[in-house]
Amino acid sequence: MTKSLLMSFFLTTVTLPIGAFAGETCEDLWFTRNLIMDRAGYCFGSALGQSLFDNGDCLGKSVVLDAASTRLVQELRAREAQFACKVDTSRRSLSLEDGHLRQLLIDLPIADDLESTCLGWLGNPVPLYSARSANSARIGYIQADDIIRYAHDSVGNWSYVTVHSPDWQLKTGGWYDHDADPEACAQFAG
């Protein structure tokens, strides 16, 4: 797919109604909320929960969350209600392409229904982190010609991004610091 064709595709999808991406957004929100619960020791009973999370170290159905996790779960539930999300938990998979990368994160992102894309990175290699701190683990890099997808709330100067090759294959993802490395894109869509 050429960059001009990709640009045309994204400009077309941006005009779709708010609910157009709700399914993908709902799956993303569900995954993040349940990843928090998994980390707290929740034992999943649904087919989807059991296939995505490890019940091997679970503690039970009633788990205690710290204050920050409680606030994040409340935000995720509010966002799920906003989109009237109903994820089918009898399935065994989600269309979420970066679930394995999210497992590496310390700071978890919150999906929004807006998406933008940097088509063709022009800058130097940029590190991606597991948290919103340059002191956290580096889990990937943005490199020349990469496509960077933004589909989550930014927090200050930090954005969770997924990085794709020019043929749209997922390469990596993580937290990107805009202040340390300003965007340098051949084209921007969204």
Side-chain angles (χ1 to χ4, degrees), residues 97-143:
E97 68 178 351
D98 64 334
H100 64 287
L101 296 170
R102 301 275 191 90
Q103 300 279 355
L104 304 173
L105 298 178
I106 296 168
D107 293 332
L108 299 177
I110 298 177
D112 62 26
D113 66 327
L114 304 174
E115 184 176 315
S116 59
T117 305
C118 167
L119 299 168
W121 183 258
L122 299 173
N124 293 324
V126 173
L128 299 174
Y129 299 95
S130 63
R132 295 181 300 267
S133 168
N135 295 324
S136 65
R138 288 184 184 167
I139 59 174
Y141 284 89
I142 299 171
Q143 299 187 28

Side-chain angles (χ1 to χ4, degrees), residues 56-132:
D57 60 350
C58 71
L59 304 172
K61 295 280 187 184
S62 297
V63 295
V64 177
L65 301 176
D66 60 48
S69 295
T70 298
R71 284 190 300 276
L72 186 53
V73 166
Q74 289 170 342
E75 172 68 24
L76 291 160
R77 284 189 187 277
R79 195 77 55 100
E80 287 174 295
Q82 174 187 352
F83 294 115
C85 292
K86 293 184 184 347
V87 172
D88 179 3
T89 58
S90 67
R91 297 181 319 176
R92 297 225 171 254
S93 65
L94 296 174
S95 60
L96 192 67
E97 68 178 351
D98 64 334
H100 64 287
L101 296 170
R102 301 275 191 90
Q103 300 279 355
L104 304 173
L105 298 178
I106 296 168
D107 293 332
L108 299 177
I110 298 177
D112 62 26
D113 66 327
L114 304 174
E115 184 176 315
S116 59
T117 305
C118 167
L119 299 168
W121 183 258
L122 299 173
N124 293 324
V126 173
L128 299 174
Y129 299 95
S130 63
R132 295 181 300 267

Side-chain angles (χ1 to χ4, degrees), residues 8 18 25 27 33 37-38 79 88 126-127 140 142 161 165-166:
S8 174
I18 279 182
T25 301
E27 287 186 1
R33 179 172 52 80
M37 300 304 290
D38 177 60
R79 195 77 55 100
D88 179 3
V126 173
I142 299 171
V161 298
S165 61

Side-chain angles (χ1 to χ4, degrees), residues 162-180:
T162 53
V163 178
H164 305 260
S165 61
D167 64 351
W168 281 95
Q169 296 301 309
L170 178 67
K171 291 173 64 177
T172 190
W175 288 98
Y176 159 52
D177 181 357
H178 296 273
D179 284 353

Side-chain angles (χ1 to χ4, degrees), residues 10-30:
F10 278 105
L11 292 176
T12 302
T13 59
V14 168
T15 61
L16 291 172
I18 279 182
F21 294 113
E24 184 177 317
T25 301
C26 287
E27 287 186 1
D28 195 304
L29 295 167
W30 183 93

